[in-house]
């Protein structure tokens, strides 16, 4: 099944998408490590260090293709970066170190943009990290 066909099928029958992801969530529970947790730790470590060294407060733009329920976005948006460039995980006055664009065939919440992955609504070269 091609991407266009999948997008059309899931768009017409979102319950199929939910069934697929429910099965996926059950599968992940049996894994010794959740890959999303590994990705979050790696990105946080890499970009917090980079922000400290460069003393920049610029947000890191992440695109998550096939995001499901946007768990990566939920976790990354908790990681704060201070305006002076010194990251903090608890500063209430700072914004997130990450800007996350989450894409999948069906939107299960407000963080997810439903689209065909071949045509995401982002300009070329606007993303720092793709997952």
């Amino acid at each position: 099944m091609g991407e266009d066909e999948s997008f059309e099928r899931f768009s017409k029958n979102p319950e199929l998408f939910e069934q697929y992801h429910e099965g996926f969530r059950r599968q992940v529970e049996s894994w010794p490590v959740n890959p999303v947790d590994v990705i979050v730790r790696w990105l946080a470590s890499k970009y917090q260090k980079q922000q400290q060294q460069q003393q920049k407060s610029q947000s890191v733009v992440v695109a998550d293709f096939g995001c499901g329920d946007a768990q990566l976005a939920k976790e990354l948006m908790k990681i704060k970066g201070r305006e002076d460039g010194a990251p903090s995980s608890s500063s209430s006055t700072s914004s997130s170190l990450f800007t996350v664009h989450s894409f999948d065939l069906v939107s299960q919440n407000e963080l997810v943009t439903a689209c065909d992955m071949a045509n995401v609504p982002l300009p070329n070269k606007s993303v720092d990290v793709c997952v």
Side-chain angles (χ1 to χ4, degrees), residues 1 9-22 106 108:
M1 179 180 333
R9 181 177 284 178
F10 283 129
S11 295
K12 289 180 180 176
N13 301 296
E15 66 279 359
L16 294 176
F17 188 79
E18 178 54 37
Q19 289 171 5
Y20 167 81
H21 279 285
E22 181 58 37
V106 173
Q108 294 192 306

Side-chain angles (χ1 to χ4, degrees), residues 43-83:
L43 288 172
S45 173
K46 176 180 175 53
Y47 287 102
Q48 283 179 328
K49 287 178 188 173
Q50 182 178 341
Q51 193 179 60
Q52 284 174 330
Q53 292 169 349
Q54 297 177 359
Q55 299 208 349
K56 292 182 180 178
S57 60
Q58 186 173 333
S59 174
V60 178
V61 180
V62 177
D64 186 0
F65 298 94
C67 68
D69 59 2
Q71 191 60 40
L72 182 64
K74 292 172 189 172
E75 296 301 321
L76 287 177
M77 291 180 349
K78 294 177 188 175
I79 300 169
K80 304 293 183 186
R82 289 193 187 153
E83 298 209 11

